[in-house]
Amino acid sequence: MKYKNRNKASFPIWQYLIGIFIVLSVLVFSFFAVLQVSMQPRQSAKEASSRLAKEYADLEKVDSFAIYNGQESYYSLLGKTSKGVEKAVLIAKDSNEIRVYRLDQGVSQAEAKSIAKENGAGTIDKVTMGYFQDQPIWEVKSGGTYYLIGFESGQLVSKEGL
């Protein structure tokens, strides 16, 4: 008489598949839950800043939102008024001080990129409006280097690298 080895468990393949499906489902759900929680502060800052920009700078449409982290942090919004005037709005993160600039009265983003390239920048990663040393600036990021271009003067204010 032959006896089957009863110590060895034999599971049908569908049980393995169900287990793998459950583990993968938990991992995917956890990833999206963490992603949502991590994006919540930025999203709420964007919504609050957009409300302030609409109220104090008459921005009808916000085209871009960024956070400038220099000596102080600012929420930077670019958009258009109801009359089609392009404006930049800087809102200080800690004091809620609001600064409004007409984009046609200073150096454009494209000009700021060009000035940064003239001063050694390679591929431009991003351009953000900010406030540094009592003046509005364009922060041009190229790799690990930040070029601060004066919005009103068009001059290189500072070049900071990592």
Side-chain angles (χ1 to χ4, degrees), residues 68 76 90 101 112 127-140 147-152 155 157-158:
Y68 167 76
S76 173
L90 297 174
Y101 303 96
V127 180
T128 305
M129 176 71 103
Y131 197 78
F132 180 76
Q133 295 179 344
D134 298 325
Q135 65 178 317
I137 52 98
W138 288 111
E139 178 189 62
V140 181
Y147 298 84
L148 304 182
I149 311 299
F151 172 71
E152 295 165 337
Q155 300 296 314
V157 175
S158 176

Side-chain angles (χ1 to χ4, degrees), residues 2 4 6 22 28 30 45 50 55 58 65 70-71 82 87 90 92 98 107 132 135 138-139 144 148 158:
K2 291 187 177 181
K4 289 186 177 180
R6 295 191 182 252
I22 290 171
V28 168
S30 298
S50 294
E55 183 178 340
D58 188 35
F65 170 81
Q71 293 172 328
S82 56
K87 289 186 178 180
L90 297 174
I98 299 173
V107 174
F132 180 76
Q135 65 178 317
W138 288 111
E139 178 189 62
L148 304 182
S158 176

